[in-house]
């Protein structure tokens, strides 16, 4: 690991880049997100969220783009068949490989080999420590450290595919239910991330749009219940639309947490939306609550 990471006193980033090294050394093997996360000693759920926040792609998207990038280079430098490349890149067929190649580079492998102009493509380079240097040195935002008591919540659970999360859409779907929840405590709403599933073709998460309640009496049909344990949280204030949350999350995972005296506690993290939240208001505030514990 380079001195850059050491100078950041960045154990969290060292763990993250161990997973990048794992990906690069197993690019042409059949590997799962679970195995990649294990290489960094994160839970799969936490790792997937951190990866998307830092890199902009999900782990599976990044792995696919890296494979296709190297395949594109080999098309111009080696006498290798497209079917052979497809198999080595872990695609089930030449057709699937061609579709993915065209989706990324806007041309088929055969067309790319024929025009023989590599600089027309935007190659996916490996993530490096330098990619995060600006983030870690030029942005500063301190959270409030809070002790959140245990709470009961009621809401709707939404499953979404990895990389296909639309928070405005999920909260819009919750609107018909939010004023029908009995035994409410306060007027705020909570967006809770939980659960992770991986299949051969995709990964899925569950996001819960919810409200806090005093008890679970008379829960309306179709709504789910959860109990969250008491937990220490770093509470960050995000100002602006929900669509810009990724920028704040990138700062939290890529800069604040690695340099803080805390580490991630493997508990549910959640977003708190005030009752009067209006996504069209550029001055809206969303409170991001990241579960933490003191670093060993």
């Amino acid at each position: 690991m380079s001195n850059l990471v050491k100078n950041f006193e960045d154990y969290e980033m060292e763990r993250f880049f161990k997973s990048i090294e794992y990906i690069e050394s197993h690019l042409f093997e059949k590997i799962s997100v679970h195995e990649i996360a294990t290489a960094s000693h994160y839970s799969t759920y936490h790792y997937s969220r951190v990866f998307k926040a830092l890199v902009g792609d999900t782990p599976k998207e990044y792995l696919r783009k890296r494979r296709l990038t190297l395949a594109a280079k080999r098309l111009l430098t080696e006498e290798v068949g497209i079917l052979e490349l497809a198999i080595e890149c872990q695609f089930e067929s030449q057709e699937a490989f061609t579709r993915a190649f065209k989706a990324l580079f806007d041309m088929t492998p055969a067309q790319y080999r024929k025009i023989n102009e590599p600089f027309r493509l935007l190659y996916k380079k490996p993530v490096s420590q330098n990619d995060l240097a600006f983030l870690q040195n030029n942005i500063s935002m301190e959270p409030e450290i809070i002790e959140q008591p245990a709470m009961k919540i009621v809401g709707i659970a939404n499953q979404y595919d990895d990389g296909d999360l639309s928070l405005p859409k999920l909260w819009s779907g919750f609107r018909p239910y939010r004023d029908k929840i009995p035994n409410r405590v306060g007027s705020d709403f909570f967006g809770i991330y939980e659960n992770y599933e991986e299949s051969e073709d995709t990964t899925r998460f569950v996001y819960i749009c919810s409200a806090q309640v005093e008890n679970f009496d008379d829960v309306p049909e179709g709504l789910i219940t959860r109990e969250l344990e008491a937990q220490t949280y770093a509470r960050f204030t995000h100002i602006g639309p929900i669509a810009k949350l990724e920028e704040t999350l990138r700062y939290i995972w890529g800069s604040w947490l690695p340099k803080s005296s805390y580490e991630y506690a493997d508990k549910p993290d959640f977003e708190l939306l005030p009752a009067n939240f209006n996504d069209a208001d550029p001055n809206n505030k969303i409170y991001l609550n990241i579960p933490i514990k003191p670093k060993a």
Side-chain angles (χ1 to χ4, degrees):
M1 199 58 60
S2 76
N3 288 333
L4 177 61
V5 174
K6 302 294 185 185
N7 292 339
F8 283 150
E9 299 178 346
D10 197 348
Y11 175 62
E12 292 285 337
M13 285 296 98
E14 286 191 34
R15 291 168 65 186
F16 176 78
F17 282 108
K18 283 183 185 298
S19 74
I20 298 297
E21 291 171 2
Y22 183 86
I23 291 174
E24 290 300 311
S25 61
H26 295 81
L27 272 175
F28 299 107
E29 300 173 24
K30 190 177 182 63
I31 56 174
S32 69
V33 179
H34 297 292
E35 292 170 317
I36 299 171
T38 298
S40 62
H41 305 289
Y42 285 122
S43 69
T44 304
Y45 171 75
H46 173 56
Y47 175 75
S48 297
R49 292 201 66 219
V50 171
F51 194 99
K52 178 65 183 295
L54 293 179
V55 179
D57 290 321
T58 66
K60 279 197 169 184
E61 289 170 339
Y62 177 82
L63 179 59
R64 183 179 68 252
K65 289 178 180 179
R66 286 291 297 133
R67 285 169 172 166
L68 290 169
T69 289
L70 295 184
K73 292 180 178 179
R74 291 181 63 191
L75 282 169
L76 300 187
T77 59
E78 300 178 23
E79 293 294 328
V80 59
I82 295 175
L83 176 58
E84 182 181 346
L85 276 180
I87 294 172
E88 290 186 13
C89 290
Q90 302 301 312
F91 286 88
E92 294 182 354
S93 66
Q94 180 172 328
E95 290 75 17
F97 172 76
T98 297
R99 285 196 302 271
F101 193 99
K102 191 174 190 300
L104 181 60
F105 296 132
D106 200 30
M107 67 184 74
T108 67
Q111 290 171 331
Y112 175 62
R113 173 173 266 169
K114 184 176 181 179
I115 64 171
N116 197 15
E117 294 181 18
F119 295 107
R120 289 186 58 172
L121 301 192
L122 179 62
Y123 287 130
K124 184 67 177 182
K125 297 179 180 179
V127 175
S128 71
Q129 293 95 329
N130 288 327
D131 292 334
L132 304 182
F134 176 85
L135 179 68
Q136 296 214 1
N137 285 309
N138 294 277
I139 303 176
S140 179
M141 177 173 60
E142 284 301 312
E144 177 186 4
I145 306 302
I146 66 169
E147 297 296 332
Q148 174 69 44
M151 63 179 181
K152 297 178 173 64
I153 62 101
V154 170
I156 58 172
N158 302 274
Q159 188 178 74
Y160 62 93
D161 289 345
D162 195 3
D164 192 33
L165 173 63
S166 172
L167 290 180
K169 183 178 180 180
L170 296 184
W171 281 106
S172 177
F174 178 63
R175 189 172 295 115
Y177 300 93
R178 66 184 189 182
D179 295 326
K180 300 178 181 178
I181 298 175
N183 310 308
R184 286 281 303 275
V185 175
S187 57
D188 296 329
F189 298 101
F190 300 83
I192 302 171
Y193 295 86
E194 72 163 20
N195 205 10
Y196 172 93
E197 297 178 4
E198 181 178 3
S199 64
E200 188 68 27
D201 298 322
T202 189
T203 55
R204 293 183 176 87
F205 292 89
V206 172
Y207 182 86
I208 302 174
C209 300
S210 64
Q212 185 178 2
V213 297
E214 184 177 345
N215 56 61
F216 293 142
D217 296 342
D218 304 317
V219 175
E221 184 177 354
L223 300 187
I224 57 93
T225 64
R226 293 288 188 274
E227 292 192 53
L228 300 185
E229 300 176 355
Q231 174 62 43
T232 303
Y233 286 91
R235 173 169 288 181
F236 294 83
T237 302
H238 169 85
I239 301 176
I242 291 178
K244 296 291 187 178
L245 274 179
E246 282 192 6
E247 296 177 11
T248 302
L249 287 169
R250 188 167 186 257
Y251 164 75
I252 294 171
W253 299 123
S255 181
W256 181 82
L257 189 59
K259 295 195 292 184
S260 76
S261 58
Y262 301 96
E263 62 181 339
Y264 176 80
D266 203 0
K267 303 289 184 180
D269 55 290
F270 64 89
E271 296 149 0
L272 186 155
L273 280 68
N276 60 353
F277 179 83
N278 178 358
D279 200 38
D281 184 349
N283 296 314
N284 264 322
K285 292 183 179 180
I286 303 172
Y287 301 96
L288 306 178
N289 297 266
I290 309 300
I292 56 173
K293 59 184 179 181
K295 285 182 178 175

